[in-house]
Structures are given as C-alpha cells and as structure tokens.
Amino acid sequence: MTAWYGVPPPVRHIDTAGWLRIIRRLLPMAVLTYGGLMLLVVLRLVEAPLRGPVRPLTPWITRWVCRGNLWLMGMGYGVRGRPMVARGAQVANHTGWLDIFTLNACQTIYFVAKSEVARWPGIGWLARATGTVFIARDPRQARAQQALFEDRLRWGHRMLFFPEGTSTDGLRVLPFKSTLFAGFYSHGLDHVMQIQPVTVIYRAPPGRDPRLYGWWGDMAFGPHFLATLSERRQGRVEVVFHDPVAVDAFPSRKELAAHCEAVIRAELAAALGISAVDEAAEGGAVSSSPARMP
C-alpha cells in the first residue's frame, strides 16, 4: 500500500490563547467521548445477548458523541443527500482523523481499517468498541477476512472504505485502489450489493491555509490534533451522499472503482473551485510508505 506525500504546511506555533482554547475544548470532548464509550459498553452487554451481532442501540451513541465533538470543536457541519438504505457499503475520500467524527455524525456506519489501528493507544479501544472491521495485509488471512466481511453484510452492517488507502491534504482525491473493491465480486455479493460514493469537503476558516484539516505523510497525530483544537475559529465540513450504484452494473472492480473515484473527485473539485483535470494529475503522485488509514 502507499502513502501520499505533499509539501506539508508550516508548523503552527500554539500561543497562550491557543492552549486555553485547547483546554476549553479538549476537556468536554474527553468527557463526552469516554463517557459515551462507557455507556456504549454497558448497553452492549445488554444488546449482545438479545440481538447478537445486530446493533440496534449502540450506534446511536456513536452518532451523538461524534456530532457533539464537532459542536464542541466549533466546527460547522452540513449534509447533502441521504445515506443509502439498501444492503451494501460506502466509499469516501480521506482527509484525516476528523473524517471519523464527520462520517459517524450523520449515519450508522462501520469503518474498515488496517489491523494496526486496533493497537493504537486510545483510538484502538474506541475503534473496537464501535465495531470497526480490521483488515490485515496478510494474504494468508484473506479468506477469513472475506468471510468476516460477508458476515457483517448479512447482519445488515453498512461499512465504509477509504479506497485511496491513505489520507491527503483535503484538496485532492488520489487514485482509488481497485483491489479494495474485489470483495464485492465474490460469492454472488455483486448481485445484492450497492455502493454509495461519499464526498467529504473541508473548508478552512477565512485567512487560514486551505490544507488546515489535512493529516498525511509523516505528520504526527498529537501535534496536529492540538493545533486543530487551538484554532481561534474553526471552518466547516460538508458530507455529500451521492446516488448508490449496483455492483453488478459494472463488469469488474476496476470499472466500479473508477466510477466512484470520478464522482467523488468531480464533487470535491467543484466545491473547492479546483480543476478536476489538474486535481487528477496531481493526485497521481504517491510514494511507497505505510498507508495512513483510520
């Protein structure tokens, strides 16, 4: 897998006022997040024996927590279109860690992430509790992972993939990796599944670097997280749900991946006033490195 490397923005110095904003935002966010997590765990103890893998209650806690955290940050939030109701999955462009809050805040969704995320301090615990599907980059586990993927679909879980395989500066869409769509074409899933492209658009506050919310390459999570919370004024994020498409409407994973990429790329380019042609050309530059996925 690959990671995209662009020229990072200058390191942001956090002054005294910035640290006060961090404290004012971080403390209630921590209470909301981990308080919600504890409530989720308790409800899951009741939910699991009664409904098994089906989760009729606990995903609502995740939604409230994520929406509340965006509000506590001061982030503007909007949604266009509607999440799909048919059986299937979603694919979205990937800007950074904020995508977790953004995409969870308006729907019940389960992320697909690399297995290393399960071991990340704090984040791994949250990911496991909220039903994230972890994928190991090991061919020997491919069959077991495919079986798990199919089981989750049968249980009615809607999963979300980031086909770029890495995060970006939020101003471009990198080429989608069609291998991540291969699971949709096995054991007849292509005849029952739909895929919904989703575009996530971040707008920095006036006067700030438009790449403000991007998290990519070698950028460390901690400093980026604190710098984001230190902003005097936050920007806005919008989630756009496009029309779902039937998997079997496309002869192969490559055509399906290309369609989803084109839809998301065009929406992002139009929203940010970027030429889709130029953005596509810039998006082709990647270098070998471990991918950054949530």
Side-chain angles (χ1 to χ4, degrees):
M1 299 182 75
T2 56
W4 175 74
Y5 282 86
V7 179
V11 177
R12 286 175 277 167
H13 171 71
I14 302 177
D15 57 16
T16 301
W19 282 108
L20 291 175
R21 286 190 288 270
I22 290 173
I23 295 171
R24 188 180 73 242
R25 290 167 175 163
L26 183 58
L27 290 180
M29 288 177 66
V31 171
L32 175 62
T33 300
Y34 288 96
L37 178 61
M38 295 306 297
L39 178 59
L40 185 151
V41 170
V42 171
L43 283 181
R44 188 66 188 143
L45 293 175
V46 177
E47 188 181 58
L50 296 176
R51 300 299 302 275
V54 179
R55 299 181 177 220
L57 298 176
T58 49
W60 287 96
I61 298 175
T62 304
R63 291 176 66 170
W64 295 334
V65 167
C66 290
R67 189 61 184 267
N69 274 318
L70 290 172
W71 181 78
L72 290 170
M73 286 180 60
M75 178 75 71
Y77 186 72
V79 176
R80 279 194 283 133
R82 294 183 178 180
M84 63 189 296
V85 295
R87 179 176 295 182
Q90 294 176 345
V91 294
N93 58 305
H94 190 19
T95 298
W97 56 269
L98 262 175
D99 294 342
I100 307 304
F101 291 150
T102 298
L103 290 164
N104 266 319
C106 58
Q107 62 177 331
T108 296
I109 199 75
Y110 300 93
F111 289 95
V112 177
K114 62 181 182 178
S115 58
E116 291 90 333
V117 174
R119 298 189 295 271
W120 289 2
I123 295 176
W125 187 32
L126 288 169
R128 287 192 299 270
T130 54
T132 297
V133 180
F134 297 107
I135 300 298
R137 290 172 287 183
D138 185 346
R140 294 172 297 180
Q141 301 185 36
R143 182 173 298 179
Q145 290 177 161
Q146 178 64 26
L148 173 61
F149 174 70
E150 294 176 12
D151 286 342
R152 297 292 292 265
L153 289 173
R154 295 189 186 96
W155 298 336
H157 292 189
R158 187 172 302 110
M159 290 173 287
L160 187 142
F161 297 76
F162 294 113
E164 294 164 292
T166 185
S167 51
T168 69
D169 60 6
L171 304 182
R172 69 202 70 232
V173 176
L174 302 181
F176 280 13
K177 301 178 185 302
S178 64
T179 53
L180 297 178
F181 291 78
F184 304 145
Y185 285 88
S186 64
H187 300 132
L189 288 179
D190 53 321
H191 300 305
V192 298
M193 279 190 62
Q194 293 188 5
I195 302 297
Q196 183 174 37
V198 181
T199 305
V200 183
I201 305 162
Y202 290 93
R203 292 183 172 88
R208 302 296 288 134
D209 192 312
R211 303 168 296 171
L212 179 69
Y213 298 114
W215 178 56
W216 74 90
D218 291 328
M219 297 171 69
F221 169 73
H224 188 272
F225 177 70
L226 294 176
T228 301
L229 293 187
S230 72
E231 289 290 328
R232 182 179 63 84
R233 178 182 177 186
Q234 295 291 351
R236 180 176 177 80
V237 59
E238 183 176 25
V239 180
V240 182
F241 292 100
H242 302 281
D243 292 337
V245 294
V247 172
D248 60 7
F250 299 86
S252 74
R253 57 183 172 85
K254 291 186 177 181
E255 284 82 2
L256 178 58
H259 168 79
C260 294
E261 178 186 334
V263 169
I264 293 172
R265 185 190 304 279
E267 182 67 41
L268 184 68
L272 300 181
I274 301 170
S275 167
V277 175
D278 293 343
E279 194 268 342
E282 292 180 9
V286 294
S287 64
S288 177
S289 179
R292 197 190 285 284
M293 294 177 62

